[in-house]
Amino acid sequence: MVERQPIRAALAAFLGTAIEWYDFYIYGTAAALVFGDVFFATKDPFMGVLASLATFAVGFVARPFGALIFGHLGDKVGRKKSLIITLAVMGIATTLIGILPSFHSIGIMAAVMLVLLRLVQGVAVGGEWGGAVLIATEHAPAKWRTFLASAPQYGSPIGLILATLAFRAVSALPQQDFQSWGWRIPFILSGVLVIVAFIIRAGVNESPEMLAQLNKASSHDVVPVREVLKTRKRAVVLGIGLSLLGIAGFYFITTLMISYTTTYLNIQRSQILDIISWVGIVELASFPVGSYIATRIGERRLLLLTTGAACLWSAPMMMLVVSGSVANIAIGILVATFLIGAYYAVIASYLPRAFPVRMRYTGISLSFQLCGAIFGGTTPLVGVWLAHAYGVQWGPLAALFALIAGGAFLSIWFLPVEDEAAATKVALGRADRSAYAVNS
């Protein structure tokens, strides 16, 4: 029986990443909806939401440490081993959050334990994205590189859809039941999903490029993070900027909008969750569109076009949102989602070209996760602060979104990457390797 490793690798990257993002998103949703009441004792709803969103931001702070730990492991012993460990760590941490006692049961220790488990989640996610992208990219033949490299990106909207549906189901419970035990169900279900993804991921071969690198005697003395910081500092800084729209922009239209619309616009929780469910669907539709256009006009041009359009859309989007109409809110958020999705699909194959194989896992993970640590977790916090300071006005939040998109545009413009013709030539050389068709 002949198996196609590129497809299997892409599928395994997608499924594992979907579950890890499901875990990450249920935390973000719970932080916006319930953690302020369950884990933080305060009479001021604003302070409760702010405290719970601060624990959401803690996960982003931990992600660069995961990038260092698992990037080193992935560059030294292989992408596959690193990815299996990240999946197990994430599943255990998420399940434990689901059984944590509340503040009313054990006091401040509940919040302390929540923060510690959130840190563990962040470390796991910090090592996941880079490895999943590389296991798909480094297996992919040239003509399908942009499409197959985007496979882990599909995990994000699928994880969001699953997380939102899970919370949509339990939010139908009476408020008292939802706050006491209903919110815990999506977290506990994670344990079952992780077992399925673990089995699939274990069946994938190591990537051909990584196997070739492991066979080089000189690779054993390399410390990836040291080499990245010594020779690729500019690429890391611009890689952080490259990731802005995909990370900070996404949490702007999801976590921030959940909190903003329910707190300041009096939108019902079920209504905004329905819109966020559509975010995942629209993002899924935008991925193949973005990948296809990128294969026709070039990845760099696609990235510049989508970031420029997102910057221009910032003002109309927030005007629609502050109108208070559910239909207008949906239009504003979903148009932005399409632009972000088309962009996000393509950075998976674009960013790895800024780093050589021997330091690639560490390089792209540091870039992506440092962006998350600096801008991803803080974007909802800054947005809530702006809303609290200026009230229901479209200008401040529109400016915040425009800064995010503009920063990404400039980073793409200046990021030094292997040119696409050279990348295609290398990928064509890989296409003939026997790793793409193995006997099982």
Side-chain angles (χ1 to χ4, degrees):
M1 178 180 177
V2 177
E3 298 183 9
R4 297 183 181 274
Q5 273 296 305
I7 296 175
R8 177 187 282 183
L11 178 62
F14 156 68
L15 290 174
T17 304
I19 293 170
E20 290 224 10
W21 282 117
Y22 165 82
D23 290 356
F24 209 70
Y25 289 141
I26 58 175
Y27 190 102
T29 306
L33 295 179
V34 71
F35 279 178
D37 295 323
V38 174
F39 292 105
F40 302 94
T42 174
K43 295 180 180 179
D44 185 346
F46 168 71
M47 293 306 297
V49 170
L50 202 63
S52 64
L53 288 177
T55 68
F56 178 69
V58 162
F60 288 92
V61 173
R63 282 163 64 166
F65 295 97
L68 289 173
I69 295 167
F70 293 106
H72 180 85
L73 183 65
D75 281 330
K76 295 294 287 184
V77 302
R79 318 316 195 190
K80 177 181 174 179
K81 292 178 182 178
S82 182
L83 285 174
I84 288 176
I85 297 171
T86 63
L87 186 63
V89 170
M90 186 65 158
I92 292 170
T94 303
T95 304
L96 288 176
I97 290 174
I99 61 176
L100 269 184
S102 69
F103 180 92
H104 302 289
S105 298
I106 62 172
I108 192 65
M109 282 305 299
V112 172
M113 293 169 68
L114 179 69
V115 171
L116 289 175
L117 289 172
R118 180 59 174 175
L119 284 169
V120 173
Q121 274 194 327
V123 169
V125 169
E128 166 67 22
W129 183 82
V133 164
L134 293 184
I135 204 75
T137 303
E138 293 176 352
H139 274 285
K143 65 181 295 186
W144 294 105
R145 187 191 67 229
T146 303
F147 281 97
L148 292 181
S150 70
Q153 312 298 67
Y154 284 81
S156 178
I158 291 295
L160 176 64
I161 292 170
L162 291 175
T164 308
L165 289 177
F167 265 94
R168 184 67 178 87
V170 297
S171 69
L173 294 167
Q175 182 66 17
Q176 185 175 354
D177 290 340
F178 175 71
Q179 287 196 228
S180 63
W181 58 268
W183 67 267
R184 300 176 183 275
I185 294 175
F187 287 86
I188 296 171
L189 284 175
S190 171
V192 178
L193 298 175
V194 165
I195 294 172
V196 176
F198 188 89
I199 294 171
I200 295 171
R201 187 164 276 185
V204 178
N205 292 342
E206 184 56 77
S207 79
E209 285 188 69
M210 189 62 207
L211 286 175
Q213 180 65 29
L214 291 173
N215 289 331
K216 294 180 180 179
S218 59
S219 69
H220 301 302
D221 298 325
V222 172
V223 179
V225 66
R226 183 186 301 165
E227 193 170 4
V228 166
L229 296 178
K230 183 178 179 181
T231 65
R232 292 292 193 279
K233 286 195 291 285
R234 182 167 181 255
V236 169
V237 172
L238 292 173
I240 292 171
L242 171 72
S243 307
L244 263 176
L245 187 60
I247 296 177
F250 184 79
Y251 287 108
F252 183 101
I253 63 172
T254 53
T255 303
L256 174 58
M257 286 297 102
I258 290 174
S259 180
Y260 180 74
T261 56
T262 55
T263 304
Y264 294 95
L265 301 178
N266 297 317
I267 301 298
Q268 294 181 11
R269 184 173 63 205
S270 60
Q271 291 177 316
I272 189 62
L273 286 177
D274 284 342
I275 293 174
I276 299 303
S277 296
W278 278 99
V279 166
I281 295 170
V282 170
E283 195 175 23
L284 277 176
S286 70
F287 283 174
V289 174
S291 296
Y292 175 76
I293 295 175
T295 61
R296 305 292 296 178
I297 68 173
E299 294 173 352
R300 185 172 183 270
R301 288 181 182 174
L302 182 279
L303 294 174
L304 291 171
L305 284 172
T306 49
T307 49
C311 192
L312 294 174
W313 179 246
S314 59
M317 173 180 67
M318 286 312 304
M319 288 179 183
L320 289 167
V321 169
V322 300
S323 73
S325 162
V326 173
N328 286 346
I329 293 170
I331 293 170
I333 289 175
L334 294 180
V335 170
T337 297
F338 188 88
L339 295 172
I340 292 171
Y343 172 88
Y344 190 62
V346 177
I347 65 173
S349 59
Y350 190 78
L351 183 57
R353 299 211 313 268
F355 302 93
V357 175
R358 65 184 182 278
M359 63 178 91
R360 186 174 289 161
Y361 198 143
T362 300
I364 70 170
S365 295
L366 270 180
S367 298
F368 194 76
Q369 306 308 342
L370 282 172
C371 179
I374 300 168
F375 301 106
T378 56
T379 295
L381 284 174
V382 173
V384 167
W385 179 83
L386 287 172
H388 186 67
Y390 294 97
V392 182
Q393 297 183 38
W394 64 266
L397 291 183
L400 176 60
F401 190 79
L403 283 173
I404 291 169
F409 181 94
L410 291 174
S411 298
I412 297 157
W413 189 270
F414 292 107
L415 180 66
V417 298
E418 177 185 346
D419 68 81
E420 293 187 59
T424 301
K425 183 177 180 181
V426 171
L428 284 169
R430 296 200 310 263
D432 294 329
R433 298 181 188 181
S434 59
Y436 295 123
V438 297
N439 292 324
S440 63

